[in-house]
Amino acid sequence: AALPAESEVTIVAGEFLPIQTKKDKSMFYLCTKCSVLPNGILPLVILATYHAAELKDVGNRFHVRARFFGTREDLQFTKPSDDEVVQLVL
């Protein structure tokens, strides 16, 4: 089954299987248990879940740095237009 294309939400996978190719050692992920979240709420989820996460408010974007299973990730999210969501994240 495929999810419909939608620009007003973010799709989040609750479970994923990392797969590494033999040839060039690149990674891709097979995602399952997906959820649909309103745009802009994912930084709040990351900050609430991973206590070592850092947040920077840069213009119209949030920059989030977090560590997942020992790997540091630098993520960027477009700020939501809803000020209530922005205040939750900050």
Side-chain angles (χ1 to χ4, degrees):
L3 295 169
E6 178 64 55
S7 62
E8 297 299 317
V9 297
T10 300
I11 308 297
V12 177
E15 187 173 284
F16 61 92
L17 175 65
I19 300 170
Q20 186 175 36
T21 63
K22 288 182 181 181
K23 186 175 182 180
D24 61 359
K25 303 293 184 191
S26 63
M27 296 288 293
F28 68 94
Y29 300 91
L30 179 62
C31 300
T32 60
K33 298 181 182 175
C34 295
S35 297
V36 178
L37 299 174
N39 281 341
I41 203 76
L42 191 54
L44 177 63
V45 172
I46 292 171
L47 292 169
T49 307
Y50 298 94
H51 70 280
E54 301 172 24
L55 172 73
K56 290 183 183 175
D57 184 353
V58 181
N60 68 338
R61 302 187 64 77
F62 288 126
H63 292 237
V64 178
R65 178 177 287 168
R67 191 169 293 277
F68 302 97
F69 304 108
T71 302
R72 192 184 87 193
E73 296 281 345
D74 292 310
L75 310 165
Q76 295 184 31
F77 302 95
T78 301
K79 273 190 202 173
S81 56
D82 187 338
D83 287 337
E84 288 183 48
V85 175
V86 171
Q87 290 307 311
L88 287 171
V89 174
L90 296 175

